[in-house]
Amino acid sequence: MINLGRLLVLTTCFALNACQQLPAREEPVNPEVAAAAGTSTELDGMMLPVEQGNPGKSAFRLVDDGYEAFALRMQSARLAQRSLDVQTYIWHPDTAGAFLAYALLQAAERGVKVRILVDDMDARQHHYAFAALSAHRNVSVRIFNPFASRSGFLSKLGEGSRRFGELNRRMHNKTWIADNRIALAGGRNLGNEYFNASDEVNFVDLDMAMIGPVVRDVSDSFDRYWNARSSYPVELLSPEDGSAEALERLRGQLDRLVASETSTRYAKALHDDPAIQQLVKGNWPMRWTDQYQFWSDNPRKALLGEEQEQGSEVLANLLREIASVQQSLWIISPYFVPGVQGSERLTSLAAREVDVRVITNSLATNDVIAVHSGYEKYRQGLLEHGVSLWELKPINEQAKSSLFGSSGASLHTKALVMDGEGAFVGSYNLDPRSTALNTEQGIFVRDPVIGSQLQALFVSQSAPRHAWRLKLHDGDLIWTDDDQQLSSEPEAGWTRRFISTILKWLPIERQL
C-alpha cells in the first residue's frame, strides 16, 4: 500500500523546490577581463621570444594523446604565475579531475589568479566542492546557467520541469588558458575518460594547443562568457557554502587523493612517458601560421527566447568554409545528426565529386542512444548519394593502452578537415543541439601540415581494426571490416537496437 503521508511530504518538497528562484544577475557594467600577457612570468620568458620571432602568426599543435593533453594542463598550471582560466562543461571528481583541481589550488597558493567557469548540468552535483574552492582568496568560480536549487534530486526534477526551456540550454565550451600565453581548446572535458585513465570507457578525443596572438582571442571569448548574464558567481547562489572550513576539508580530500595509490600510478605513467618528458622540458613542436580564426558562439545563445537572434556563430563560419570545398571534406563527429538540410549539403558536395567522409560512433559506442536514433534516419540516404560512413568499434588499440588495462572506447573528437589543409577542432558536434541549444567554440587553421595530420587521424580512426565501414548491398545496410560483413548493428545487443528503433520515430530530433 502506498504511504500517503510520505507521498504528501515528497509532493510538497517537490512543489516548494520547484518554486525556488535565482537571485538577480545582470551583465556587469565594468566587466572583469583576463590579466594581459606580460614579460615577468616563466611562460612569458618561454613564449615571448618565439612570438616575436613570428610576427603576426600563432602556433598550433594537435593533441590527440590523452596523457599529453593532461600533461600540458598540469605543466602549464605549474608554470603559471599570473592567471589560469578554465572553462568546461564537465569536471569529474576522479583521479584526473582531482589532480587538476589540486594543481589550480597550488597555483592559487602561489598568488596566481584562478577563474573557473563550469556549466551547471554537471557542476550542480559537485556544488560544495566548487563553493569550497571559491573560498580561496585567489580563486573565483562562476556557474553557467545554474539551477536555483543546489542539491537534491526532487528539487532538480521540479525545477527542471518548470524551467525546461531555459535549463535545456548548456555551455559546451572547453578552454584552458595559462598566463594568457598558452591555451588548449577542443573536445575534452576534465575527468579520467578524457585523459586515457578510465578502466571502463576512454574517449578518443582531440585538443588544439595554441600560443601567440590566438591565445588572446581565446581569452577574450572566456571573458565574454565570464561576464555574461548566464554566469553566476557561486557565492551568489549559496553564500553559506564557501567557507574557510569547507576549503580546508577540500584541501584534505585533494591531498589524500593525490597521495593515493591510484594517483601515484597515474603520476608514474606520466613521468615515465618519453613524450611527456619532452613536453615538461618545453619541447613543444608546433606549426606557425597567420591563417587561423577562433570561433565562439555568443553566450546569449543560452538565453531562452533569443534563439532567433543568437544562432550558432561556429556553424555559420563552418558553412562558409565548407562552401568553398573543392576536393574533400572529412568529418569526425561523435554525435552526428545532419538533419534534412545538412544531408542535402553533404550529398550535393558528393554529387560534385567531393570526397565526403564521416566517422561517428556506432550504436555500441554511443553514450546517448537517442542521438544514434537521430543519425539512423539519415545514414542510408547519405550512402546512396555518395557520402562515405564509418562507425567506431567499442574496443580498439587506443582504448587498450589505458593506464588501468583493457577498456572500451567512445568517439569524442569534433573535427573537420577540408581539402587536406583547412582544419577545424572544437566542441561543436554536427547535430541540432550544438546548432540551436548549446553554446560552442572551435579553432580553424589553414595549414597543409596540420591538415594532413588531421587526415592521418581520420585514416587511423576509420581503419578496419578501429571502425566498421558502412555500405549498401542490394539496397540493405551492411557493416564491414577486414574479417567480416554484418547485416545488423554490430555488438550493440537487441535491447539497444530496440530502444534506438523506437526513439527514431519520436519527434525529439531538435533535442539531439
Side-chain angles (χ1 to χ4, degrees):
M1 180 179 293
I2 297 175
N3 187 320
L4 294 179
R6 181 171 181 175
L7 180 61
L8 179 61
V9 170
L10 291 176
T11 304
T12 302
C13 290
F14 182 93
L16 289 174
N17 285 315
C19 294
Q20 287 186 255
Q21 299 290 328
L22 285 168
R25 169 75 173 140
E26 297 296 334
E27 294 179 21
V29 176
N30 298 308
E32 181 182 342
V33 298
T39 60
S40 60
T41 74
E42 190 168 352
L43 282 172
D44 290 332
M46 294 170 63
M47 305 305 178
L48 184 57
V50 290
E51 285 190 35
Q52 292 174 335
N54 294 274
K57 296 181 178 181
S58 291
F60 302 89
R61 175 182 174 85
L62 292 177
V63 183
D64 65 306
D65 180 78
Y67 286 165
E68 179 180 343
F70 181 82
L72 279 170
R73 286 167 171 83
M74 289 294 292
Q75 184 66 1
S76 60
R78 288 168 178 159
L79 292 173
Q81 295 170 268
R82 183 170 46 245
S83 63
L84 283 164
D85 290 336
V86 180
Q87 182 178 16
T88 188
Y89 176 60
I90 290 172
W91 194 330
H92 290 321
D94 52 20
T95 302
F99 259 116
L100 294 168
Y102 182 81
L104 294 181
L105 195 53
Q106 293 292 104
E109 294 286 357
R110 300 194 308 269
V112 177
K113 174 63 176 176
V114 177
R115 295 190 294 174
I116 298 169
L117 178 58
V118 61
D119 185 86
D120 204 33
M121 188 56 69
D122 176 73
R124 183 181 180 274
Q125 63 184 314
H126 313 305
H127 167 78
Y128 294 107
F130 287 116
L133 277 172
S134 73
H136 195 287
R137 65 187 183 280
N138 290 324
V139 179
S140 299
V141 179
R142 293 189 180 177
I143 308 296
F144 191 86
N145 195 11
F147 288 79
S149 63
R150 302 313 299 157
S151 64
F153 173 74
L154 282 177
S155 59
K156 182 176 184 179
L157 185 63
E159 188 177 355
S161 64
R162 179 174 60 87
R163 298 177 56 214
F164 176 78
E166 300 167 74
L167 295 173
N168 192 36
R169 297 166 177 274
R170 309 313 319 173
M171 181 191 73
H172 199 231
N173 311 40
K174 295 101 173 175
T175 300
W176 182 284
I177 312 166
D179 278 356
N180 228 332
R181 283 296 182 188
I182 181 169
L184 291 103
R188 281 188 177 86
N189 293 297
L190 305 180
N192 283 351
E193 63 268 40
Y194 303 98
F195 301 110
N196 209 32
S198 172
D199 57 355
E200 295 177 358
V201 174
N202 282 297
F203 286 120
V204 179
D205 219 328
L206 187 64
D207 285 320
M208 188 78 85
M210 298 166 274
I211 61 176
V214 67
V215 176
R216 269 65 86 190
D217 297 336
V218 180
S219 190
D220 288 345
S221 173
F222 181 95
D223 287 341
R224 185 163 63 154
Y225 277 81
W226 184 257
N227 293 296
R229 181 151 50 99
S230 298
S231 298
Y232 281 68
V234 69
E235 59 270 19
L236 187 62
L237 297 172
S238 56
E240 69 281 1
D241 293 328
S243 65
E245 293 76 16
L247 177 59
E248 283 308 307
R249 285 195 299 271
L250 181 63
R251 276 198 181 102
Q253 292 168 0
L254 291 175
D255 287 342
R256 287 190 294 273
L257 197 148
V258 169
S260 69
E261 180 183 353
T262 298
S263 294
T264 300
R265 289 166 61 197
Y266 193 44
K268 186 176 187 304
L270 291 169
H271 184 270
D272 292 345
D273 189 308
I276 300 306
Q277 285 303 302
Q278 288 185 338
L279 292 170
V280 170
K281 294 174 182 176
N283 183 12
W284 300 341
M286 306 182 84
R287 291 288 299 176
W288 287 88
T289 178
D290 59 0
Q291 300 297 304
Y292 68 85
Q293 299 173 65
F294 184 78
W295 302 329
S296 178
D297 287 343
N298 192 318
R300 295 182 69 86
K301 181 183 175 184
L303 296 176
L304 183 63
E306 299 197 7
E307 63 268 27
Q308 299 303 316
E309 300 175 25
Q310 305 295 337
S312 173
E313 295 180 24
V314 175
L315 176 61
N317 284 293
L318 274 176
L319 292 179
R320 186 189 66 246
E321 296 295 337
I322 289 172
S324 65
V325 166
Q326 299 296 316
Q327 299 173 333
S328 63
L329 173 63
W330 293 9
I331 299 169
I332 307 173
S333 184
Y335 300 158
F336 179 63
V337 185
V340 173
Q341 290 184 338
S343 295
E344 290 176 350
R345 195 178 300 272
L346 295 177
T347 56
S348 66
L349 287 172
R352 291 198 284 108
E353 298 187 351
V354 172
D355 178 15
V356 182
R357 305 184 186 187
V358 180
I359 182 169
T360 188
N361 275 306
S362 63
L363 179 55
T365 62
N366 203 317
D367 59 342
V368 183
I369 297 177
V371 172
H372 188 84
S373 73
Y375 154 66
E376 274 189 54
K377 294 187 289 187
Y378 298 101
R379 60 186 174 188
Q380 184 147 343
L382 291 169
L383 290 168
E384 288 172 350
H385 289 88
V387 176
S388 301
L389 297 177
W390 285 262
E391 295 178 2
L392 191 74
K393 292 181 176 180
I395 297 291
N396 63 37
E397 291 176 359
Q398 297 173 66
K400 289 179 181 178
S401 66
S402 166
L403 171 67
F404 300 108
S406 180
S407 68
S410 182
L411 187 66
H412 203 252
T413 300
K414 300 107 164 116
L416 294 85
V417 57
M418 307 169 198
D419 289 339
E421 65 174 16
F424 170 82
V425 175
S427 65
Y428 185 90
N429 290 293
L430 271 73
D431 62 14
R433 173 162 286 279
S434 286
T435 298
L437 298 174
N438 290 348
T439 68
E440 308 286 354
Q441 65 182 35
I443 181 71
F444 179 80
V445 179
R446 191 170 296 281
D447 180 82
V449 173
I450 289 180
S452 66
Q453 290 171 346
L454 191 49
Q455 281 191 320
L457 284 176
F458 188 105
V459 170
S460 173
Q461 292 177 6
S462 62
R465 66 184 181 275
H466 292 160
W468 290 287
R469 182 165 185 179
L470 279 70
K471 295 183 178 180
L472 295 175
H473 180 70
D474 294 333
D476 295 324
L477 196 62
I478 61 172
W479 288 257
T480 68
D481 60 15
D482 284 340
D483 302 318
Q484 55 188 331
Q485 178 173 299
L486 304 170
S487 58
S488 63
E489 305 272 5
E491 300 187 45
W494 74 267
T495 303
R496 290 179 71 87
R497 292 198 298 269
F498 175 75
I499 293 173
S500 183
T501 300
I502 295 299
L503 292 174
K504 183 168 59 177
W505 302 111
L506 298 180
I508 59 174
E509 184 169 310
R510 190 173 183 275
Q511 303 299 320
L512 303 179

